[in-house]
Amino acid sequence: LFSVPVGVGAAIYLEEFAKKNRINDFIQTNINNLAGVPSIVFGLFGLALFVVYFKMGVSILAGALTLGFLTLPVIIGTAEESLRAVPDTYREASLGLGATKWQTIYRVVLPAALPGIVGAVLLAASRAIGETMIVVLAAGIAANLTLNPLEPVTTITVKIVSQLTGDLEFNSPQTLVAFALGLTLFVITLALNVYALY
C-alpha cells in the first residue's frame, strides 16, 4: 500500500519528467545503492524512525512501513527500466494526436510498461516476505494473530529462527516445524516469482 504508489510515482517522475542532469543522476545512483543495503540497516532505520521517533511502538505498522522502504529501491529501479523500454514512438504518436503529457503517460506508457511494473511489485514482495531482522526490530516477535496495526506480531522467517535457536537434534519437532515453515516460504516465493515471469 505504501511502496507501490510511491515507487511507481517516483519511477514515472524520474523517467518522464526529471531532466537528465547531475542531480537526477545522483538520485538514481543512490536509489540503486539503496537496493544493496543490508536489511539490518533498514531494521535499525525503522526502529529509530517509526518505533522511537513517531512513537508507533513495535507494531505491524512500523514493520510494514520499514519493509516498504526496503522494497522502494527495487520497485523504483525496475519500474523505471520498464518505462524506459516503452518506445518513444508511442509517446510521440500520442502527443501528435493531441493528448497531454499526463494522458500519454496514463493511457499509453503505463499500459505498455505494466508487465514490467507488475514484475517489479512481485519481485519486491518476494524480497519482503523473506525478511527477518526488520520484523524483529520493528514489528516484534510476538506470535499474535491480529488486525490491529499497532500491535506486535511475528512472521514465518522469525518463527523459523526462534524454532532453530538452541541445541536441537535434527529430527526434533522444533527442527521439523522450522523446515516445514521454510518449505512453505519457499513455495510462496517460488509461486510469486513464476507468476512475475509469466
Side-chain angles (χ1 to χ4, degrees), residues 143-166:
N144 185 17
L145 184 62
T146 181
L147 293 176
N148 184 353
L150 299 176
E151 288 189 22
V153 293
T154 193
T155 62
I156 291 176
T157 54
V158 175
K159 194 66 180 166
I160 291 170
V161 171
S162 67
Q163 289 293 107
L164 293 177
T165 303

Side-chain angles (χ1 to χ4, degrees), residues 26-48:
F26 176 76
I27 290 170
Q28 288 180 328
T29 301
N30 283 312
I31 287 171
N32 293 332
N33 288 339
L34 281 174
V37 172
S39 61
I40 187 70
V41 175
F42 278 101
L44 292 171
F45 166 77
L47 180 66

Side-chain angles (χ1 to χ4, degrees), residues 112-130:
L114 192 61
I117 293 171
V118 170
V121 171
L122 293 173
L123 183 66
S126 293
R127 180 166 184 202
I129 286 172

